[in-house]
Amino acid sequence: MNSITLFNNTLIKLIARSGTESQRQSVILDVGEFGYTTDSNRLYIGDGVTVGGFITGNIFKGYSSNILGLTNVPRPGDSAFDTSRSTLYIYNSGATNNINSWSPVGGFYTAGNGTISINGTNQIQVSALSAYNISTDAIGNSLTITSGRVALSSRVSVDEIVTRTSTNLKLPTNLTLGTQNYRLTAAVVTNGYLRTDAAGNLEWSTANSLVSANSATLTLGKGLTGAYAGVASNQFPLSGNVSITPIFAPTAYTVFTQGLSTVRSSRIANIEHVPVADALAALPTINGLPLVESTSRFDHPASGAYDITTADTFDTGTVVVDVNIVNGTYSYETEENQIIFSPSIDAYVQVINSNTIRVVFYSIATKFNQSDSKLITSTRTIRAALTPGTNSVFTRFSVSIYG
C-alpha cells in the first residue's frame, strides 16, 4: 500500500476532488479518493466501483414547522425536526415534500381497536369506550353485552332495589313470585283487597267477608250469633259449615252514673228517672220475688229505674238490649243477729214501646242468721231490692240497644 511519511514540520495541503452533485453521480472515485460537491457541500469517498462514492456524513437540517417545505434539499440520511408534529424525521428518498419520503424517529403508536390513539401532534387520546372494548369477565353476572351495548342480563342478582327519582317503584304487569305467575289486571279499589283468580290474575276487589286462618277460632261478640254443626255458640273453629247471623250495630248507646249524670250518649233522645212507685207498679216482681225499694243507708237516694228513649224506632219483637254494670256492688244492712246483703247488682230490661225501654237495677237480698259473729244457718232469699247500687263515683251503667 502506498504511503507518505509526514514529519512534524511537514505542511501538506490536501485538496479533494470537487464538482457539482450531477458531476459526482457520473464519476467513479478511486479507493479512498474523496469527492466534494460544491453545490450541496457534501463529502463522499470512493471504493473504486460505486458511481459517485459514499457520503461520509449526513447533515441535521435544523427545526422547521413543516419539513415538507425545506428549501435546502436534504440527502438520504439527513434529519430534520418538525415542530408542528413534535417529531424528528430522517429523509429516505423521493420527493422531499411527500411525508412518505421521511421516516419518523420512534414512529406513531396507536391502539389496534381505536380506544387509545396518538394524534398528529403526538398527543395521546382516549376515544369513546365501546361495549366491544369491555371484557365480559368485567361486568359480572347481572350485566350483558348485546349488539355493542351494555344491558341488564335476563337474571339480575341484587339484594335491594330502590327508586332513583320517584317515590314509587314501577313494576311490570306480569310478575313471577317464586314459581307462581301473576298478572295485575284491575285498577285499585278504595278499601279493597288484592285477590287472585284460578288463572293467577291479580285484581283489587271489595271485601264482603272476613275470614281468619283455618286453625283459628272466630269469637262472636254482642249482637252476633252463630251456628256450628247445628249447635249455636259464641265461639267455633273455622271449618265445616258455619253460619253467622247478621251483625247488629247499636241503634242507641248510653253511659250514665247514679243520679242520672249522662257521660256519653249516641242516638239517645232522653233519659228519665222512674219514680219508685211507678217502677214498683209496672214491675211488681222479679224472678217471682216481690220488688221493694232498698232501705240500705249506703244506696243512692234515687231508685235504680230509668226510661231510655231512642232517637230511632226499633222492632219491639227483635230488639236486643245489652246492659253492662261496672263497680255496682250492693251494700249491706244489719239487723239483730242477721246480715242481709248481695254481692252484685243485676239489671232487668222491659220494652215499653218502639223507641223506649225501661232498665231496672236490682239486687236479690239474702239473709244469714248469726251467733257470736259466726254464720250458723243457711241462707234464704227474702226479697228483690230496687237499688241503683252503692253510692260510689266509680259506679257506671252502660246500655246498648240493637234494633
Side-chain angles (χ1 to χ4, degrees), residues 20-283:
T20 63
E21 176 67 18
S22 60
Q23 291 174 336
R24 179 191 68 81
Q25 296 177 2
S26 62
V27 175
I28 298 176
L29 298 176
D30 292 336
V31 176
E33 181 185 4
F34 289 100
Y36 177 76
T37 56
T38 57
D39 54 356
S40 62
N41 301 321
R42 301 298 176 93
L43 182 64
Y44 294 83
I45 190 169
D47 61 357
V49 177
T50 304
V51 177
F54 299 94
I55 192 169
T56 59
N58 290 107
I59 297 177
F60 174 65
K61 307 297 288 186
Y63 299 89
S64 174
S65 60
N66 184 10
I67 62 172
L68 304 182
L70 290 176
T71 56
N72 51 346
V73 180
R75 294 293 182 268
D78 287 350
S79 61
F81 188 84
D82 193 312
T83 58
S84 63
R85 295 179 172 86
S86 299
T87 304
L88 178 65
Y89 287 89
I90 295 179
Y91 174 68
N92 297 318
S93 62
T96 59
N97 61 353
N98 187 339
I99 193 63
N100 294 325
S101 299
W102 297 82
S103 296
V105 177
F108 290 105
Y109 301 95
T110 180
N113 55 12
T115 302
I116 298 177
S117 61
I118 301 176
N119 61 15
T121 59
N122 288 343
Q123 294 176 324
I124 298 176
Q125 292 180 322
V126 179
S127 303
L129 290 178
S130 169
Y132 293 111
N133 305 128
I134 301 176
S135 172
T136 55
D137 295 335
I139 60 176
N141 58 2
S142 295
L143 297 176
T144 185
I145 298 177
T146 304
S147 301
R149 295 181 179 273
V150 178
L152 288 175
S153 62
S154 59
R155 176 173 294 181
V156 177
S157 177
V158 67
D159 292 328
E160 182 182 9
I161 299 177
V162 296
T163 59
R164 181 169 61 89
T165 58
S166 174
T167 56
N168 296 326
L169 182 64
K170 186 175 182 180
L171 297 175
T173 301
N174 296 338
L175 292 174
T176 298
L177 302 180
T179 59
Q180 181 62 48
N181 298 327
Y182 294 100
R183 175 180 172 82
L184 185 61
T185 59
V188 175
V189 175
T190 303
N191 295 328
Y193 69 98
L194 198 60
R195 63 179 294 274
T196 61
D197 57 17
N201 294 318
L202 289 171
E203 62 181 3
W204 290 97
S205 179
T206 303
N208 54 15
S209 63
L210 299 176
V211 180
S212 302
N214 291 335
S215 60
T217 302
L218 181 63
T219 302
L220 305 181
K222 301 294 184 180
L224 183 67
T225 60
Y228 174 66
V231 179
S233 173
N234 70 333
Q235 190 176 69
F236 46 79
L238 292 178
S239 60
N241 296 323
V242 177
S243 62
I244 303 176
T245 59
I247 298 177
F248 292 98
T251 302
Y253 175 74
T254 182
V255 174
F256 51 94
T257 65
Q258 297 180 73
L260 302 180
S261 176
T262 302
V263 177
R264 182 173 66 252
S265 64
S266 173
R267 308 296 290 174
I268 297 293
N270 185 48
I271 302 176
E272 183 179 357
H273 171 251
V274 178
V276 174
D278 294 348
L280 295 176
L283 194 64

